[in-house]
Amino acid sequence: MSLIYQQLSTLLRELEGEMCRQGLWEAEPPSPEALASDQPFAVDTLRFSQWLQFVFIARLRVLVDSRALLPGSCAVRPMAEESLKGLPQDTGQIEHLLGEVDALLTARGTTH
C-alpha cells in the first residue's frame, strides 16, 4: 500500500477511535433515505457526526481499500468546527484529525 493510503487509513482509524471515545460513533446506520440526501454534508437529514461516520469515513475507506483515485482536495474541518461547537464533548481532537485529512488530501492534490 502506498504511503498516502497508509497515512489516510491511519487517520481514519484514529478518527473512528476518537469519535467512539466521545460517544459520537453509532452502531446503527441512518435510514437509506437519510443517507440519500443531496445536500452538502446531508445537513437536511443527518447530524454532522453521522455524516462523518456513514458518508465521509465510509467512502474514504472504500477508496483506500480499493486504492482508487483519492480526492485532490478536502476541506471538512471548517464544517466540523461549526457543526460540533455546540456539543458537550471536547471535539478538538476530531477537528484536528479532520484537519490532518484535509491537509493530506489537499497536499496530494497539489503535487499532481
Side-chain angles (χ1 to χ4, degrees), residues 48-110:
F48 183 73
S49 60
Q50 291 176 310
W51 178 85
L52 275 178
Q53 178 180 350
F54 296 105
V55 178
F56 184 74
I57 293 172
R59 288 182 183 168
L60 285 179
R61 281 190 172 147
V62 168
L63 295 177
V64 167
D65 291 346
S66 64
R67 295 188 186 149
L69 182 64
L70 296 170
S73 67
C74 188
V76 175
R77 183 178 180 158
M79 184 64 176
E81 291 170 347
E82 184 62 28
S83 298
L84 300 175
K85 70 180 176 186
L87 296 179
Q89 296 95 328
D90 178 1
T91 58
Q93 184 62 13
I94 292 170
E95 294 165 16
H96 171 77
L97 290 166
L98 287 170
E100 293 289 318
V101 171
D102 288 350
L104 180 66
L105 293 175
T106 302
R108 183 202 144 275
T110 61

Side-chain angles (χ1 to χ4, degrees), residues 15-31:
L15 185 56
E16 177 182 346
E18 187 59 24
M19 289 178 70
C20 286
R21 281 187 284 287
Q22 297 298 333
L24 297 172
W25 195 262
E26 299 183 16
E28 296 296 321
S31 71

Side-chain angles (χ1 to χ4, degrees), residues 30-55:
S31 71
E33 296 80 20
L35 290 168
S37 170
D38 62 356
Q39 296 296 307
F41 305 99
V43 296
D44 59 334
T45 58
L46 301 176
R47 290 184 308 279
F48 183 73
S49 60
Q50 291 176 310
W51 178 85
L52 275 178
Q53 178 180 350
F54 296 105
V55 178

